[in-house]
Amino acid sequence: MSSAAPSLRSVTARVPAKVNLELMVGPPRPDGFHNLATVFQAVGLHDDVSVEPAEDWGITINGPYAHLVPADGTNLALRAARLLAEEVGIDDPVHITIDKDIPVAAGMAGGSADAAGALLACDALWGVLSSKAVLEDLAAELGSDVPFALLGGTAMGSGRGDQLAPVLGRGRYTWVFALCDVGLSTPKVYAECDRLRAGLRVPEPTPSASMMTALRSGDAVALGRALSNDLQPAALSLLPRLEEVLRTGMNNGALGGIVSGSGPTVAFLVSDTERSLDLAVALTASGVAPSVKRAVGPVRGAHIITAASGPRGSFGSAGHDGPTGPAGHRSS
Ligand code: C5P
């Protein structure tokens, strides 16, 4: 069927990156995944995902990382839009435009965030008004980190990381992210984790009391000490130079440092904005990090920032046919 005459011309959703404050990884499951006990925090690095009616399904990526993102049917945001269309029986193709600021293959769930943004934006564009539960189910189908990109804030993740419970914590935390000039593949990092732990008895993961206490009290020093990531040894094994990044951050005022998710981004917690500037300078001046980003967390999950109304029929009126700039990467 076709949607019930939506009057929106384009919708833009803003979606956050994440860092795992704690990432406990269990033994490999028969389906190839691992049970996790993790604490996600959404941080203020964002992609903007816009959708508009089009003659055909397509996607354009803008920004410095555009060349690293597939602009074809394998793109997770495009898959998300098509999955929702199929689920609700809509046959109205959209063109997706992603203004990308979240680093790619960096352990910050940028692809998952884009998928969450596409679900939310298409849901609004088509006037579907899906329940939260339906969007969450579709999100989990698309990837382990997609439900959290919808939820945002700070949350405990179990199962594959897709079963979420919000953490009622205090505090606003200041982060410095040391980026890497190469990406790490998430499946390869999990496989390396399994290889490093071969022959060891790996228990089912359980969240730590120290993390929950730190978050409840809003104590950044305690949180810095409680940061932990079972994937970190694997990321360091695949990319040993991350050791120096961690050392440099800890020697320059960080309260804690950790590989973010499956890496290779290294996340440092600092006490305030001034320290974040000092650390950003130290990391770049020492040459250990080709680029650095600063952000605060927690921030909210995927949300609509613009919904432009207007007559349909002039496909591309909201940027579809506009210039993508030198970094634009597009296909349909
Ligand atoms: O769910 P997602 O597509 O993000 O997962 C990417 C890959 O990361 C999986 O194919 C799997 O190799 C690994 N993974 C895992 N256990 C998880 C989450 C991801 O082994 N809980």
Side-chain angles (χ1 to χ4, degrees), residues 32-36 112 142-145 159-161 186-187 190:
F33 284 87
H34 298 71
N35 281 335
L36 306 180
S112 301
L142 289 158
S144 309
D145 290 338
R160 286 188 292 129
T186 303
Y190 274 99

Side-chain angles (χ1 to χ4, degrees), residues 48-85:
D48 285 346
V49 181
S50 302
V51 298
E52 58 184 333
E55 272 158 3
D56 235 324
W57 298 95
I59 186 159
T60 301
I61 325 281
N62 296 323
Y65 309 111
H67 62 290
L68 300 170
V69 181
D72 57 26
T74 66
N75 185 288
L76 200 56
L78 200 48
R79 283 172 45 206
R82 299 183 90 149
L83 180 66
L84 177 64

